[in-house]
Amino acid sequence: MMGGAPTNVWNDSINMGGTNNGIPGGFTMNVNDGSLNNTMDTTDVTLINNNTVNFEAQPQQQPQTDDVNQSAKRVHRVENFSSSQINNTVDTHMPLLQLNNPNGAILRSYYELSTNDVLNLPPIPTDEEYCARLNVSNNLLPLYDKSALQAARFAELALGALANNQVPLALELSNSSVMCLRNCVSTEETSGMVSLFNVARAYLLHGIFRSFRGDMARYFKYRRVCMTHIMQMNNESGVESLLAAISFHDAWAYLMHNAAEDSLPDIDDSLPRLNTSTNGGSTYSSMIATDPINQMWMQGSPRVFLNNEATPISRSLDAIACAIRTCCDQANCQL
């Protein structure tokens, strides 16, 4: 796309071409964490032994579940780490997930102000709210659903800790999120689309976390696994908020790589592209997720914006992402 005319231009009273994508939720940071390795997470773990929190400062054919699980397992391939060490970290930080925990509340505030203030993802339901929706008691909550809720909560806290420059804590919370996601991969029972939404949310937030750490390869990997879950949800309530958030953050990646898809990391060997044919600009979420032009970052017309059933905030976010991509394409045309 560089050096030539934009190939994805959408016209409807305003020119907003390019490829749908997203700037990180109002939060950009360059963390200088000394000896810490930027690529560290549960896929190559060196656990940091610092658990202290310091707060001074219509639908298409559905994919086979096995295919989705295989994609997720490739992302969670773990080498040379102590599972007991990581599980102890999950247990250590579990109190932070409680709404009445003051340290957890501070981390969630940092997440809301730094990231979700722009992305506007819906709040994660409490266990009580979730069980009431399923009409089951708390002690009967399926492992998949419980792990999905915990993974999403840990992912939010990790972003909050990173925003507050609590890097060691952020990495431990990120690792905890990944361990909960691995429980979802190993457990096939799910109560339905609500749990899939929370798993997809956790993958997206974890990918955003990795991108803020400068690890774009893992961002694109977690993004693709997120898409494998979105493609199963069709137009379930709230799914457009995930797509708008992806579109907005993709626009940031689009700028960072100057609209050059050839410069993106090659993840197709570990996570094959979702197989589908061009769907003519459909606004169904499953078709957006599987469109060939959206496999690495969102492109073309702003599908969420064009979906009249989507919330105004999600539509606006997607439209802004499209405008960002268009400006990048037009700037390249002038060179």
Side-chain angles (χ1 to χ4, degrees):
M1 297 177 64
M2 293 181 60
T7 57
N8 300 287
V9 177
W10 170 67
N11 289 290
D12 186 1
S13 77
I14 54 175
N15 184 3
M16 301 176 63
T19 52
N20 294 15
N21 311 24
I23 271 177
F27 168 55
T28 59
M29 67 184 299
N30 182 10
V31 178
N32 180 7
D33 51 8
S35 62
L36 296 178
N37 188 327
N38 260 0
T39 61
M40 170 185 169
D41 71 0
T42 319
T43 53
D44 50 359
V45 170
T46 305
L47 189 64
I48 296 174
N49 295 314
N50 177 2
N51 299 325
T52 303
V53 186
N54 179 7
F55 294 107
E56 291 180 351
Q58 217 63 107
Q60 67 177 44
Q61 182 180 358
Q62 301 300 324
Q64 296 297 321
T65 303
D66 289 344
D67 295 338
V68 175
N69 286 340
Q70 286 301 320
S71 295
K73 286 175 182 176
R74 293 189 188 98
V75 173
H76 298 308
R77 189 172 295 143
V78 178
E79 299 177 0
N80 300 324
F81 80 100
S82 168
S83 59
S84 61
Q85 240 186 342
I86 301 300
N87 288 330
N88 288 339
T89 302
V90 174
D91 293 338
T92 299
H93 295 309
M94 196 66 71
L96 293 175
L97 303 185
Q98 303 300 319
L99 293 180
N100 60 357
N101 184 286
N103 290 341
I106 293 175
L107 290 176
R108 276 187 291 275
S109 297
Y110 275 110
Y111 160 73
E112 290 292 337
L113 291 171
S114 65
T115 305
N116 205 46
D117 191 48
V118 172
L119 298 184
N120 280 283
L121 295 175
I124 301 171
T126 65
D127 288 353
E128 291 74 18
E129 292 170 341
Y130 193 86
C131 289
R133 189 179 305 180
L134 297 180
N135 197 24
V136 299
S137 60
N138 282 11
N139 59 344
L140 294 179
L141 187 63
L143 176 61
Y144 185 103
D145 301 64
K146 184 176 181 179
S147 297
L149 291 169
Q150 291 174 348
R153 292 167 187 156
F154 275 127
E156 287 187 349
L157 296 183
L159 284 166
L162 190 62
N164 192 36
N165 205 25
Q166 297 287 113
V167 180
L169 176 63
L171 290 169
E172 290 185 357
L173 292 169
S174 175
N175 289 334
S176 299
S177 176
V178 173
M179 291 303 296
C180 294
L181 287 172
R182 292 182 67 214
N183 286 339
C184 297
V185 172
S186 61
T187 305
E188 295 186 0
E189 280 189 40
T190 172
S191 299
M193 297 302 171
V194 177
S195 56
L196 282 179
F197 181 91
N198 286 311
V199 171
R201 181 213 306 259
Y203 277 117
L204 173 60
L205 293 180
H206 190 66
I208 291 174
F209 176 89
R210 298 313 309 178
S211 71
F212 287 165
R213 295 273 296 158
D215 189 349
M216 294 305 295
R218 283 201 179 97
Y219 166 69
F220 287 111
K221 287 180 179 179
Y222 283 110
R223 175 194 182 279
R224 184 164 295 177
V225 178
C226 173
M227 285 295 204
T228 65
H229 289 79
I230 289 178
M231 68 189 288
Q232 301 178 75
M233 289 189 277
N234 290 321
N235 271 11
E236 294 295 325
S237 176
V239 70
E240 71 279 353
S241 64
L242 279 177
L243 287 169
I246 292 172
S247 176
F248 192 59
H249 199 73
D250 280 355
W252 173 69
Y254 197 75
L255 287 174
M256 293 291 290
H257 291 271
N258 201 21
E261 191 160 348
D262 292 342
S263 68
L264 300 182
D266 184 6
I267 65 171
D268 293 343
D269 289 340
S270 57
L271 293 168
R273 295 185 175 229
L274 306 179
N275 294 323
T276 186
S277 57
T278 304
N279 48 56
S282 171
T283 59
Y284 285 110
S285 57
S286 58
M287 296 186 181
I288 296 173
T290 56
D291 195 310
I293 67 172
N294 295 332
Q295 294 302 292
M296 292 302 294
W297 48 29
M298 295 287 196
Q299 299 189 66
S301 59
R303 312 278 191 88
V304 177
F305 173 76
L306 296 174
N307 181 4
N308 292 329
E309 302 300 320
T311 63
I313 291 178
S314 296
R315 296 181 70 189
S316 300
L317 199 62
D318 191 36
I320 293 172
C322 185
I324 292 170
R325 295 193 311 273
T326 300
C327 291
C328 185
D329 287 340
Q330 291 178 347
N332 284 329
C333 288
Q334 303 301 318
L335 299 179

